[in-house]
Amino acid sequence: MSGLDDAALFQVERGGIPVTSLQEYRNGKWNTWMVDDPPHWKAMQWYAGQARGDVLVGGLGLGLIIHALDTNPQVTSVVVVEKSRDVINLVWPKLEKPAVVVVEDDFRSFYEKAKIYYDTIIVDLWVTRGIAEKLQKLRLEAEPMR
């Protein structure tokens, strides 16, 4: 499982397991944005376990982080910024939690105009290159989770 919990491997031997995949059809092909396989569940649980106070999340995905944050008593509020109305319409009705707010917006745009302090920021956005530069443009000066 890519080094999570000291595990170097994730393998299903018989019968498989049910895995949900969030995909988008663009330019003539399907692109996978998120899956709920065990490595992704474990990663979201780890991130959520590190979170404290008011939490800002970039990207709704399948809502794995919402489930994980919901179990952390150190989290006081959660705001999720998701730019895709389709993802919100598909995923949010299955997750609705009273203490979680979902905002339809681009994460960078929201963050720049929010003027709100967050104790924890979890950015789970798919970026193929230039992530350091993009985060620097957001002026995120925080300690990364380790």
Side-chain angles (χ1 to χ4, degrees):
M1 290 196 334
S2 304
L4 292 172
D5 291 340
D6 296 323
L9 174 67
F10 166 74
Q11 181 175 341
V12 176
E13 299 214 3
R14 290 189 204 117
I17 58 172
V19 173
T20 302
S21 175
L22 179 61
Q23 298 182 327
E24 176 185 49
Y25 190 76
R26 184 184 289 184
N27 300 325
K29 69 176 200 167
W30 285 100
N31 298 293
T32 299
W33 290 106
M34 183 66 181
V35 295
D36 66 353
D37 62 4
H40 286 89
W41 272 107
K42 292 295 269 183
M44 293 303 116
Q45 289 170 347
W46 187 86
Y47 290 132
Q50 307 301 309
R52 301 289 179 267
D54 298 318
V55 179
L56 175 63
V57 177
L60 179 59
L62 290 170
L64 304 183
I65 195 69
I66 303 303
H67 289 292
L69 288 168
D70 195 42
T71 65
N72 182 341
Q74 299 297 318
V75 171
T76 53
S77 71
V78 178
V79 173
V80 179
V81 181
E82 171 58 57
K83 75 178 189 177
S84 171
R85 171 52 46 192
D86 289 338
V87 171
I88 294 169
N89 289 342
L90 182 67
V91 176
W92 184 242
K94 295 171 180 17
L95 299 174
E96 291 181 25
K97 305 277 184 190
V100 178
V101 174
V102 174
V103 176
E104 182 182 357
D105 202 347
D106 174 79
F107 181 79
R108 179 177 175 186
S109 173
F110 176 86
Y111 184 80
E112 288 176 348
K113 64 187 173 194
K115 309 291 185 222
I116 299 171
Y117 175 84
Y118 290 93
D119 301 296
T120 305
I121 300 174
I122 300 171
V123 183
D124 187 21
L125 304 174
W126 181 254
V127 178
T128 57
R129 58 183 150 213
I131 186 66
E133 294 82 12
K134 290 178 192 294
L135 290 175
Q136 189 174 29
K137 286 179 186 176
L138 288 172
R139 296 182 305 278
L140 291 179
E141 297 177 16
E143 294 293 317
M145 293 180 181
R146 300 193 198 285

